[in-house]
Amino acid sequence: DIIFSSDVYFASDHLFDESHRGTILALFRQPIDRLVSKFYYLQTATWERTYRPEWKDMSLLEWAEKVNGDENFLVKKIVGKKL
């Protein structure tokens, strides 16, 4: 059986015990690559709710310094920070 969850702690607390052991596989994208991709994607993705046409004339550096307020909930959860 396979279970997909973004909440590892819930899965480990509620689904597994000494007689029902599990194995975890985690895949992570490099955070800087993910943000750069997000910046370029949301400049052109008119079909997305989060489309940002105002980013079209912005440089990546300007965006990173002034606009980027990325809050990655999964990274925060993994390192134990408040969501």
Side-chain angles (χ1 to χ4, degrees):
D1 295 337
I2 296 177
I3 298 169
F4 294 92
S5 175
S6 61
D7 193 337
V8 176
Y9 298 112
F10 176 85
S12 65
D13 288 344
H14 295 89
L15 300 174
F16 304 112
D17 57 31
E18 285 300 315
S19 59
H20 300 94
R21 300 180 63 106
T23 301
I24 294 177
L25 170 67
L27 302 175
F28 298 95
R29 187 167 177 192
Q30 205 283 344
I32 303 296
D33 289 344
R34 185 183 60 79
L35 287 174
V36 170
S37 177
K38 172 184 173 178
F39 170 70
Y40 288 116
Y41 176 74
L42 290 179
Q43 287 179 339
T44 59
T46 56
W47 55 91
E48 290 285 352
R49 181 179 52 83
T50 54
Y51 168 60
R52 297 290 185 261
E54 64 273 16
W55 291 358
K56 281 188 178 193
D57 297 322
M58 214 178 270
S59 72
L60 179 59
L61 181 59
E62 179 183 11
W63 177 80
E65 290 177 342
K66 298 178 182 175
V67 178
N68 178 35
D70 193 61
E71 294 290 328
N72 189 316
F73 86 96
L74 193 53
V75 170
K76 283 185 171 188
K77 190 171 209 156
I78 290 169
V79 298
K81 292 194 175 188
K82 281 193 161 195
L83 300 177

